[in-house]
Amino acid sequence: MDLNIQEERDVIENILVIGSGDQHFREYALRGLAKRYHVLLIAQTPTSWQSPYAADYREVELADKAQVLAAAQDLAARHQVAGVITWDEMQVAVAAEVGVELGVPTMPVDAARTCRDKGIQRERFAAHDVPSARFCLADTLDTALVAARDIGYPVVVKPRGRAASIAVQLAGSDEELRRAFEFARGSENSSIKDGLVLVEEYLQGPEISVDCWVLDGRVEPYVLALKRTDYPPFFEEVAHVVGDVLDEQTTAAVRDVTVRAHRALGIDRTVTHTELMLTADGPKIIEVNGRLGGELIPYLAELCTPGFSVGEMVGAVATGRTPQTVAAPSRLMGIRFLYPTHSMVFHNLDHPAALADEPWVQEIRQVTEPGLQLHLPPKQFLGRAGFVIATADTVSEVDERLLALADKVSLVGTPLADQDQ
């Protein structure tokens, strides 16, 4: 354990963390958590970068729930566990179940399971009059075709248990729906086995996300982000802009719908990532995820909000304490991910050395190891070599700087014969 981290603690409690995630995308959260709590880590692989932050750990196969539970019980026998958390999408329901087994308050199991199933979410939203998309859970292609014609093309076709917009596709005709339906069913998460595919209304407008903490029925947004997508007909998430990105009236409307969605799903004692579309009829919910937002959105919130620590906020909620009030963001911050232009064996990123010294450039980072293959959707989703982070005074300027910055960073690699078209 890093001595500096130990010395900074003023609250010594044990929090069980299930799954550490990727270093590039989750280390900031683990680091912040470890500054105030003992981290008991259950990880998929032997600890490496996690070691300075973990007071104790167990290595398990995370896909095996029995192994995760046994490891949690073993750690709980040695340490008094004050909270159970995960920021791994696949472990959201498992973490809730572990909390029940250990007698530690956490997100209700039913709510956690609902967060893993977009179809059930749609049903709950409809039952509680939460603005969302018209939808159908289709068990056959014929059912999907009837639903699409009733809803009206174009429609969105998606697996119910995936995250990060993986395998989500726009279909504008019967033929496109046939391809999208089979693709979504074949891409479904292994935990959902009933073969149902979600066919839903195509909501149009700017897409945003809202990250919240939830405790004792209180739902508090702490960061808003504008989302940018690409690679149609898919909805690959390629960039986000974080900060004071909406006007006051729209922010209030988004908050209202977000709170109503959380209450409809029974979410509590956790942090969440909610996605919405700002339609002509007002904000409508796309989905609520029962874990810390991905894509480094909370990290960007740290960068543009003085004194804010995501890890400390997560730890407070996990142990039943109201987090400190999050100050208003002091600037805008954006991230854009770096994709290849064609299939390649990736070697490294290359950019002018002086580029990183520009005052508006926050970070240029490689996240893919040399020698790995990178492809574009649909052959590969999230096939990113790295990312760039930039700041500016307006949303449009952030977008422009991100595009200009990404254009100056080259992906060096060996082209593959099966290039994406």
Side-chain angles (χ1 to χ4, degrees):
M1 174 73 65
D2 187 297
L3 292 180
N4 291 329
I5 292 175
Q6 276 277 44
E7 291 167 359
E8 290 180 13
R9 283 203 185 89
D10 54 15
V11 177
I12 305 297
E13 289 183 298
N14 301 304
I15 293 184
L16 181 65
V17 178
I18 303 177
S20 61
D22 180 88
Q23 179 178 9
H24 297 291
F25 291 90
R26 292 306 192 190
E27 184 174 17
Y28 75 94
L30 194 61
R31 182 194 305 116
L33 184 67
K35 285 183 177 180
R36 296 290 178 262
Y37 302 88
H38 283 132
V39 172
L40 310 176
L41 179 63
I42 299 177
Q44 175 77 23
T45 57
T47 56
S48 53
W49 64 268
Q50 305 97 325
S51 295
Y53 314 118
D56 201 353
Y57 74 93
R58 296 293 181 272
E59 178 189 345
V60 304
E61 177 59 55
L62 286 176
D64 188 330
K65 186 165 67 175
Q67 285 191 34
V68 174
L69 179 57
Q73 291 171 330
D74 184 37
L75 287 167
R78 291 166 169 76
H79 312 274
Q80 184 175 353
V81 177
V84 179
I85 64 172
T86 186
W87 38 68
D88 183 334
E89 176 73 20
M90 298 300 297
Q91 300 300 316
V92 168
V94 175
E97 293 171 16
V98 166
V100 171
E101 290 293 332
L102 300 184
V104 177
T106 186
M107 180 155 54
V109 173
D110 178 69
R113 290 173 178 166
T114 300
C115 284
R116 293 289 301 119
D117 192 320
K118 298 174 178 63
I120 297 177
Q121 287 192 36
R122 285 281 181 269
E123 293 172 346
R124 298 279 178 89
F125 295 152
H128 291 82
D129 295 321
V130 176
S132 187
R134 291 178 294 147
F135 71 99
C136 172
L137 280 170
D139 58 344
T140 66
L141 176 58
D142 287 342
T143 302
L145 289 167
V146 171
R149 294 164 189 163
D150 181 59
I151 293 170
Y153 285 112
V155 294
V156 177
V157 184
K158 62 177 67 172
R160 291 147 45 218
R162 300 304 297 262
S165 301
I166 292 175
V168 178
Q169 192 169 172
L170 187 68
S173 66
D174 285 0
E175 183 57 34
E176 290 179 0
L177 178 67
R178 290 186 180 92
R179 292 195 296 269
F181 180 85
E182 294 304 327
F183 189 84
R185 185 153 60 180
S187 303
E188 185 56 89
N189 188 280
S190 61
S191 64
I192 297 179
K193 304 180 185 298
D194 57 18
L196 297 179
V197 171
L198 191 57
V199 179
E200 62 185 37
E201 175 188 6
Y202 174 45
L203 300 177
Q204 299 187 59
E207 188 172 354
I208 67 168
S209 64
V210 183
D211 280 58
C212 304
W213 60 260
V214 191
L215 184 64
D216 298 332
R218 180 178 172 184
V219 182
E220 285 294 335
Y222 67 89
V223 58
L224 278 75
L226 296 172
K227 179 193 292 188
R228 312 309 190 197
T229 61
D230 204 347
Y231 302 105
F234 302 96
F235 295 85
E236 182 84 351
E237 300 176 17
V238 298
H240 304 272
V241 181
V242 166
D244 189 8
V245 295
L246 302 176
D247 62 75
E248 186 175 340
Q249 183 177 1
T250 304
T251 298
V254 166
R255 178 190 179 96
D256 175 68
V257 173
T258 300
V259 170
R260 290 166 59 190
H262 281 68
R263 291 176 178 164
L265 302 182
I267 295 172
D268 206 352
R269 193 83 172 226
T270 191
V271 294
T272 62
H273 177 75
T274 302
E275 297 176 354
L276 308 91
M277 194 71 76
L278 302 180
T279 75
D281 298 322
K284 294 187 178 182
I285 296 287
I286 298 174
E287 64 189 51
V288 180
N289 300 280
R291 40 83 185 161
L292 188 67
E295 308 282 82
L296 286 173
I297 291 172
Y299 174 62
L300 296 188
E302 286 191 343
L303 294 179
C304 63
T305 309
F308 176 49
S309 167
V310 171
E312 291 181 20
M313 177 199 65
V314 171
V317 172
T319 55
R321 294 182 176 87
T322 301
Q324 294 183 350
T325 300
V326 179
S330 61
R331 54 180 175 166
L332 295 172
M333 193 74 64
I335 185 169
R336 188 167 191 88
F337 300 100
L338 304 174
Y339 290 80
T341 57
H342 53 263
S343 295
M344 65 164 57
V345 176
F346 176 70
H347 300 324
N348 64 275
L349 295 181
D350 185 36
H351 60 82
L355 188 62
D357 296 329
E358 292 284 352
W360 51 272
V361 176
Q362 181 71 35
E363 191 169 352
I364 302 172
R365 189 189 303 185
Q366 179 176 319
V367 300
T368 293
E369 293 294 323
L372 294 180
Q373 292 188 12
L374 290 177
H375 306 272
L376 295 172
K379 188 166 186 177
Q380 181 182 6
F381 295 97
L382 308 182
R384 301 152 170 179
F387 60 78
V388 294
I389 298 177
T391 185
D393 294 329
T394 66
V395 169
S396 60
E397 191 177 10
V398 172
D399 282 327
E400 290 169 4
R401 284 181 168 178
L402 287 173
L403 285 169
L405 184 55
D407 189 55
K408 294 177 181 178
V409 180
S410 300
L411 276 64
V412 180
T414 303
L416 292 173
D418 57 337
Q419 293 186 359
D420 299 292
Q421 302 299 316

